[in-house]
C-alpha cells in the first residue's frame, strides 16, 4: 500500500497567485472546477471507482486546465489530510494513497461536508448540515473548521439522525415526515452546539420549502468555493 503524504512536491505560490483545482468526490459523480474558470466539469464515479481511478478521471476532465494545487472533498472521515476509512459508496484503495504524487501538485483533503461548509462560512460560529445520501456535518468556530461525525448518533427508536434525515428516511417515511425530522434535528443540534447560525446544504436542501429558524440555505455549489478557500484564506484553520 502506498504511504500517504502531506508533503508538497514543489513550493506553493502566494495564495493570491494560486490556481486551485477543487475536486468534489461523490458516490455517483466527481465534479471539478478551478478558481480561474466558471465551468464545472463532471464525470461518473460509482462503486468501482478507486482513488487511482478518481485521479485518472479528474486528469481527463482537467485537460486544458492549468492548476498549482488541489483540494479534495472526500466522502468519509479525514484527519490530518488523510482519509481514515474507505468510502461507503465507492471502490477501495483510498486510505494510504499518495494524492500529491498522483496529481503532481500539493493536495489538501477534507471531508466533503467540511469543504462545503468552508465555502458557506462568513464569520462567528456556524453549524453546517448537509442533507444528501446521509447527513454531513461540520462546525466552523471563529475560523477554526472542524469536521463532525453526527450522522450515526442515536436519535429515535434505535435509529440514528441519518436514518431519519438521510435518503433512507425520506424514502421510508415520505417527504412531509422527513421535513418534520429535519426541523427537529436542526433544533436539537442548535441547542447542543450553540451556533450563531446554521447553513443547510447538500442536494436535498432543495426539498425544503421553508427552513428551520436561524437557518440559511446552502448548496453543493459551495463546495468549490470551499476548495478554493482552503488554499486562499490564510485565517482559516483546519
Amino acid at each position: 500500500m502506498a504511504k500517504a503524504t502531506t508533503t508538497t512536491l514543489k513550493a506553493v505560490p502566494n495564495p493570491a497567485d494560486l490556481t486551485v483545482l477543487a475536486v468534489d468526490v461523490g458516490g455517483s459523480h466527481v465534479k471539478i472546477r478551478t478558481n480561474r474558470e466558471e465551468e464545472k466539469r463532471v464525470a461518473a464515479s460509482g462503486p468501482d471507482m478507486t482513488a487511482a481511478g478518481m485521479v485518472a478521471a479528474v486528469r481527463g476532465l482537467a485537460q486544458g486546465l492549468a492548476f498549482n494545487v488541489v483540494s479534495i472533498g472526500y466522502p468519509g472521515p479525514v484527519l490530518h489530510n488523510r482519509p481514515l476509512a474507505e468510502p461507503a459508496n465507492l471502490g477501495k484503495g483510498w486510505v494510504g494513497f499518495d494524492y500529491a504524487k498522483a496529481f503532481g501538485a500539493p493536495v489538501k483533503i477534507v471531508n466533503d461536508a467540511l469543504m462545503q461548509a468552508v465555502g458557506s462560512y462568513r464569520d462567528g460560529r456556524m453549524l453546517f448540515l448537509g442533507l444528501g445520501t446521509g447527513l454531513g456535518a461540520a462546525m466552523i468556530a471563529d475560523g477554526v473548521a472542524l469536521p463532525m461525525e453526527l450522522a450515526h448518533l442515536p436519535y429515535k427508536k434505535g435509529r440514528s439522525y441519518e436514518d431519519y434525515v438521510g435518503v433512507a428516511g425520506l424514502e421510508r417515511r415520505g417527504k412531509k415526515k422527513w421535513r418534520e425530522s429535519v426541523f427537529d434535528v436542526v433544533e436539537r443540534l442548535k441547542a447542543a452546539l450553540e451556533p450563531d447560525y446554521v447553513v443547510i446544504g447538500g442536494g436535498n436542501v432543495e426539498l425544503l420549502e421553508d427552513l428551520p429558524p436561524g437557518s440559511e440555505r446552502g448548496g453543493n455549489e459551495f463546495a468549490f468555493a470551499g476548495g478554493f478557500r482552503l488554499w486562499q484564506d490564510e485565517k482559516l484553520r483546519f
Side-chain angles (χ1 to χ4, degrees), residues 106-228:
V107 174
K108 291 185 179 181
I109 306 175
V110 296
N111 172 262
D112 55 351
L114 184 62
M115 194 161 86
Q116 195 175 143
V118 169
S120 307
Y121 179 67
R122 295 193 310 274
D123 53 27
R125 294 170 56 86
M126 182 196 77
L127 172 64
F128 173 85
L129 298 173
L131 302 176
T133 303
L135 174 65
M139 187 123 185
I140 303 181
D142 299 322
V144 180
L146 302 168
M148 307 186 80
E149 292 294 324
L150 302 178
H152 301 294
L153 293 177
Y155 178 45
K156 291 181 178 180
K157 298 179 180 179
R159 294 181 181 269
S160 68
Y161 285 112
E162 183 172 271
D163 290 330
Y164 276 81
V165 300
V167 167
L170 175 63
E171 294 175 347
R172 185 179 74 252
R173 303 176 68 240
K175 192 179 293 185
K176 181 180 178 181
K177 290 185 177 180
W178 175 83
R179 287 171 174 163
E180 291 173 354
S181 294
V182 169
F183 270 63
D184 184 55
V185 166
V186 170
E187 288 305 312
R188 288 171 183 251
L189 294 177
K190 279 175 58 181
L193 300 171
E194 299 181 336
D196 298 319
Y197 59 104
V198 179
V199 173
I200 303 177
N204 284 342
V205 69
E206 297 176 0
L207 302 178
L208 295 175
E209 296 176 347
D210 301 306
L211 296 177
S215 299
E216 302 174 8
R217 192 177 299 273
N220 288 337
E221 66 275 11
F222 286 90
F224 293 123
F228 307 151

Side-chain angles (χ1 to χ4, degrees), residues 35-116:
N35 58 315
R36 308 295 184 188
E37 307 283 341
E38 292 295 328
E39 179 188 10
K40 174 179 70 176
R41 303 184 183 188
V42 182
S45 57
D48 296 324
M49 177 169 273
T50 62
M54 179 274 292
V55 173
V58 169
R59 284 194 170 279
L61 289 174
Q63 287 185 10
L65 298 178
F67 58 89
N68 307 107
V69 295
V70 180
S71 295
I72 300 175
Y74 176 76
V78 176
L79 182 64
H80 302 315
N81 219 40
R82 302 179 184 185
L84 291 180
E86 300 291 341
N89 300 310
L90 297 171
K92 303 299 182 182
W94 297 78
V95 176
F97 187 80
D98 194 331
Y99 295 90
K101 182 177 180 180
F103 277 108
V107 174
K108 291 185 179 181
I109 306 175
V110 296
N111 172 262
D112 55 351
L114 184 62
M115 194 161 86
Q116 195 175 143

